[in-house]
Amino acid sequence: MPAAPRPGVTVFLTGLSGAGKSTIADALVADLEAAGRPVTVLDGDVVRTHLSSELSFSREDRDLNIRRIGFVAGEVVKHGGTVVVAAIAPYEAAREEARALVERHGRFVLVHLSTPLEVCEGRDVKGLYARARAGEITGFTGVDDPYEPPARAEVVLDTSVTPLPESVARIRSVIDGAAAPVS
């Protein structure tokens, strides 16, 4: 008799621009793949380019983009897959909608990167925060548009004080079912 399939899981990394979402996603994916676990990556910028290019950065369109990410993640999870999402996802209601879409089929692990705004601004190689502060970009999360911290994050990491290997290990412990401190 074949072994029962492993339930699917989505790790949803959320935080400000520059918080470390892509860095952690890359390291987590490498760790999971090295352990023989194929991973689907849904990067917010890439999804916006290929699946949501018609959307603006209004609240409604940002929410729709996160719902789309949640739907795709849920479809992968339904078939036992592992998904890593890296998206700013600034609004609590949209993140909870994504959670509900995934949890119909498997596990959802919300990871809040609570890296302070000033650290994120210091990491900003594209100069987006400076442009937002100068009024060249409007509706920029953390400057003139809110980031609503998650109420139900399974893991909270401040990447300005938590080393990358420890961040990945803490997320893996939750994925693998071991108890891990939330923050």
Side-chain angles (χ1 to χ4, degrees), residues 31-181:
D31 188 68
L32 290 165
E33 288 180 342
R37 192 169 188 161
V39 181
T40 299
V41 177
L42 297 174
D43 179 275
D45 291 337
V46 175
V47 169
R48 187 170 273 283
T49 299
H50 295 288
L51 295 180
S52 298
S53 61
E54 82 285 6
L55 300 181
S56 72
F57 285 90
S58 69
R59 183 179 183 122
E60 295 77 19
D61 282 357
R62 288 179 185 201
D63 287 350
L64 177 55
N65 190 49
I66 297 304
R67 277 195 301 277
R68 288 177 180 176
I69 289 171
F71 173 79
V72 172
E75 289 299 300
V76 173
V77 165
K78 178 167 58 175
H79 299 287
T82 299
V83 180
V84 174
V85 174
I88 293 173
Y91 309 120
E92 178 72 357
R95 289 189 302 261
E96 286 300 313
E97 284 184 67
R99 178 188 291 275
L101 288 167
V102 170
E103 287 183 339
R104 289 184 200 167
H105 307 293
R107 294 179 54 218
F108 185 91
V109 176
L110 184 64
V111 180
H112 175 213
L113 302 185
S114 63
T115 309
L117 175 61
E118 55 276 7
V119 173
C120 295
E121 285 193 65
R123 294 176 176 171
D124 183 21
V125 296
K126 297 178 191 171
L128 297 175
Y129 282 102
R131 291 180 57 207
R133 294 213 181 273
E136 296 172 21
I137 300 173
T138 58
F140 193 79
T141 303
V143 176
D144 64 346
D145 199 63
Y147 178 84
E148 300 170 355
R152 296 198 304 149
E154 282 76 13
V155 180
V156 178
L157 299 167
D158 176 347
T159 63
S160 70
V161 297
T162 307
L164 183 58
E166 181 182 334
S167 296
V168 171
R170 289 180 56 197
I171 296 166
R172 278 299 303 265
S173 72
V174 174
I175 293 171
D176 298 338

Side-chain angles (χ1 to χ4, degrees), residues 10-25:
T10 291
V11 175
F12 195 109
L13 302 164
T14 177
L16 293 170
S17 179
K21 295 177 299 297
S22 294
T23 300
I24 289 178

